[in-house]
Amino acid sequence: MTTMRPETRLDRRYSDETATATDWQEAEARLTAAELFWITTVRPDGRPHVTPLPAVWSDGALHFCTGPEERKARNLAENPHVVLTTGTNTWSKGYDLVVEGVATRVSDDARLRELAAAWETKYGSFWHFEVQEGYFRHGAGHAAVYAVAPRTVFGFGKGEPFSQTRWRFA
């Protein structure tokens, strides 16, 4: 895991009196373990686009892949700002995370091989990727890989106690 030390703050306006700020290491562990994320990008006309996808936390960033002709890739070509969310679909238990940042294309084949191994370790052999010329290759298709280093992350503890922690990265 990364050694980033973000500014951490509990937002008392949205937290129970007994709540404390969640440690970044705990949030990072949750990002590492999460299987499903929802990514929000912005269409060229300003409308939002949201879709689920798998992602891998590695070296202080969330990584995802998408085909170059998919809506999210086309959106990122116009506006690289994204939000990735993960958590539980319940109100009174669990923990949700919202990661805000800029998606940056990863095209170095050595780094892509590391990420391909991480994908397969996390998700199994269905997610086996070959790496060639700056892309993941899977069957007949290929996918661009993006890294999102967080600028701001919000954590929402649900249940007893409810809490909202914000981490800001320099």
Side-chain angles (χ1 to χ4, degrees), residues 29-144:
R30 290 178 184 277
L31 290 171
T32 300
E35 291 183 11
L36 182 68
F37 293 81
W38 290 86
I39 186 170
T40 304
T41 59
V42 180
R43 290 179 171 97
D45 67 4
R47 292 179 299 133
H49 175 261
V50 181
T51 190
L53 50 66
V56 170
W57 178 261
S58 176
D59 292 335
L62 272 173
H63 296 79
F64 66 92
C65 62
T66 184
E69 299 304 318
E70 290 185 42
R71 168 52 47 204
K72 57 189 163 294
R74 296 191 332 251
N75 292 347
L76 292 171
E78 299 289 323
N79 182 346
H81 294 271
V82 300
V83 176
L84 289 132
T85 61
T86 191
T88 55
N89 195 20
T90 59
W91 172 251
S92 63
K93 64 181 178 179
Y95 202 87
D96 296 334
L97 289 160
V98 177
V99 177
E100 299 177 349
V102 173
T104 305
R105 175 96 193 287
V106 179
S107 59
D108 176 73
D109 280 359
R111 179 64 178 140
L112 288 172
R113 281 190 286 279
E114 293 172 0
L115 291 169
W119 243 275
E120 191 165 357
T121 296
K122 183 174 181 179
Y123 293 105
S125 62
F126 176 80
W127 292 95
H128 174 80
F129 294 109
E130 298 295 329
V131 174
Q132 185 180 27
E133 298 176 358
Y135 289 93
F136 277 179
R137 304 282 177 180
H138 185 83
H142 66 285

